[in-house]
């Protein structure tokens, strides 16, 4: 990982292979963009010195600047760096672990880093799958067909669906099947954006544009030139930032901070949200003109409860991957365990299923996963209750209250229960004006 890099030096990361792991760290600075594969577990040190696991040619970084802890929930730890570390605009306290989500921008020196997650990709056709038991349900098949048709064009695509259904998987599928497949795929978590972050990190800046800007630096959007930008959770984009994004989409150019002339932008935009954007527009929370710019084609991903035929195959695949990361043999699922999985309503969708299986593999004591090993999830509910929002816990606001209550005010656990990142949960707590309960003391 040593040495200089070209203006666009990317390391291809095959997200289907078992090694080196399920994530890549995207690095953007004055040298351009590169992707560094990461291990599936453990931690890595990022810095400019030879002792760092991920070495970055950035004079603004310390030799050992920060440590990334890679077991979910992810944490970053500043190692007493000279210039500090920022996540979503907040400065980290040295020596303390701070939670972050994939897609959150981490700034160290003049380098912006993003952790890009692995996706479990559904094959276009079951017969082509390297994992024979992975099948595509009748509910998902037309979604994949539409995604493949959209991939050939440059039209913007808006992906809709509940949290955790795999909208990011479909977005990556579109990119990989498009003429831009050889270019970067950049996933950004809009829920973590702040006005300062959007201006300096997305658009870039000129030398001397502000204190500490010792050199010109391209923004994330410029660094993704020739590729695809995936705006995840775009419905959570603050209103004051929506106008700036609209200008980028309309003019296909960006104006770096401190620059006089805009720079052309050659990227394709995909976006995703679990929000009802027309309702947000009527409530004055989302711009109508931005909605039409993003919504060239709408693809709605059905929830896992409507894709029951996929559950067994996904569960077995998650079990294999979890066991591989632990260096153990993959356990088999008993028929009772599979029945329990199929009967559960999965409010957290595929993300919840993955968490349940990973926990069962980690805590299991035998060569099989039984129904008892799956005890942590809530008991299966009648499917009709899950389909009725009022029966499933009512509004999102009430669901957040319930999750916080169940987790004793622990925001990280509540976020995992809801199938969203901790930063997204904090943003929604602020949006709804909810009190932040204090975690219960350990007994």
């Amino acid at each position: 990982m040593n040495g200089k890099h070209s203006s666009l030096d990317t390391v291809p990361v095959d997200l289907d292979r078992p090694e080196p792991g399920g994530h890549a760290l995207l690095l953007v600075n004055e040298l351009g963009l590169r992707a560094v594969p990461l291990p599936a577990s453990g931690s890595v040190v990022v810095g400019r010195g030879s002792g760092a696991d991920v070495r970055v040619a950035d004079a603004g970084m310390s030799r050992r600047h920060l440590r990334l802890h890679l077991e979910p929930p992810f944490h970053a730890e500043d190692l007493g760096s000279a210039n500090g570390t920022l996540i979503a605009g907040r400065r980290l306290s040295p020596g303390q672990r701070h939670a972050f989500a994939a897609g959150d921008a981490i700034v160290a020196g003049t380098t912006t880093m993003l952790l890009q997650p692995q996706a479990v990709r559904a094959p276009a056709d079951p017969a082509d799958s390297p994992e024979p038991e992975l099948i595509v349900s009748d509910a998902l098949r037309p979604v994949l067909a539409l995604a493949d048709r959209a991939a050939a064009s440059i039209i913007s695509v808006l992906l809709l669906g509940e949290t955790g259904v795999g909208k990011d998987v479909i977005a990556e599928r579109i990119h990989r099947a498009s003429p831009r497949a050889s270019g970067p795929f950049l996933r950004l978590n809009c829920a973590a954006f702040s006005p300062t972050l959007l201006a300096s990190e997305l658009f870039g800046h000129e030398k001397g544009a502000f204190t500490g800007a010792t050199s010109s630096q391209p923004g994330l959007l410029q660094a993704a030139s020739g590729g695809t930008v995936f705006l995840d959770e775009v419905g959570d984009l603050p209103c004051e930032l929506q106008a700036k994004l609209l200008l980028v989409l309309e003019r296909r150019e960006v104006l770096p901070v401190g620059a006089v002339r805009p720079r052309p932008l050659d990227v394709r935009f995909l976006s995703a949200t679990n929000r009802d954007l027309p309702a947000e527009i009527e409530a004055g929370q989302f711009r109508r003109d931005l909605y039409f710019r993003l919504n060239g084609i709408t693809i709605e991903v059905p929830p896992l409860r409507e894709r029951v035929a996929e559950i067994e195959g996904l569960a077995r695949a998650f079990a294999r991957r979890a066991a591989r990361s632990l260096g153990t043999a993959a356990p088999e699922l008993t028929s009772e365990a599979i029945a329990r999985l199929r009967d559960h309503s999965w409010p957290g969708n595929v993300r919840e299923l993955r968490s349940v299986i990973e926990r069962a593999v980690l805590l299991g004591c035998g060569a099989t996963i039984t129904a008892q090993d799956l005890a942590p999830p809530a008991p299966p509910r009648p499917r009709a209750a899950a389909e009725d929002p009022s029966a499933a816990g009512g509004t999102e606001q009430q669901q957040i209250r319930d999750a916080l209550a169940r987790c004793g005010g622990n925001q990280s656990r509540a976020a995992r229960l809801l199938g969203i990142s901790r930063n997204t949960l904090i943003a929604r707590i602020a949006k709804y004006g909810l009190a932040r309960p204090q975690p219960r003391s350990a007994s």
Side-chain angles (χ1 to χ4, degrees), residues 13 59 65 73 86 98 130 180 191 195 223 230 291 326 329 356 376 384 427 432 439:
V13 181
H65 196 103
L86 301 175
H98 298 260
R180 294 173 174 266
F230 174 44
Y291 172 71
L326 295 172
V356 166
Y432 294 126

Side-chain angles (χ1 to χ4, degrees), residues 6-23:
S6 65
S7 60
L8 185 61
D9 182 12
T10 59
V11 179
V13 181
D14 184 351
L15 296 179
D16 280 330
R17 66 186 180 183
E19 295 295 335
H23 294 84

Side-chain angles (χ1 to χ4, degrees), residues 44-76:
V44 294
V45 172
V46 182
R48 64 180 175 85
S50 57
D53 301 307
V54 178
R55 190 175 181 185
V56 184
D58 183 345
M61 271 196 186
S62 297
R63 293 183 178 277
R64 290 170 56 87
H65 196 103
L66 75 154
R67 178 178 282 109
L68 300 178
H69 301 270
L70 302 177
E71 288 89 358
F74 306 112
H75 286 81

Side-chain angles (χ1 to χ4, degrees), residues 320-345:
R320 278 195 299 273
R321 295 184 186 207
R324 189 161 53 209
S325 69
L326 295 172
T328 61
E332 291 294 326
L333 281 83
T334 65
S335 57
E336 292 80 7
I338 293 171
R340 183 183 178 93
L341 294 175
R342 291 174 65 92
D343 287 342
H344 188 59
S345 59

Side-chain angles (χ1 to χ4, degrees), residues 411-428:
Q411 293 173 354
S412 296
R413 290 174 54 202
R416 291 198 297 273
L417 182 65
L418 292 166
I420 60 178
S421 73
R422 183 174 181 272
N423 285 343
T424 298
L425 175 61
I426 291 173
R428 292 180 185 173

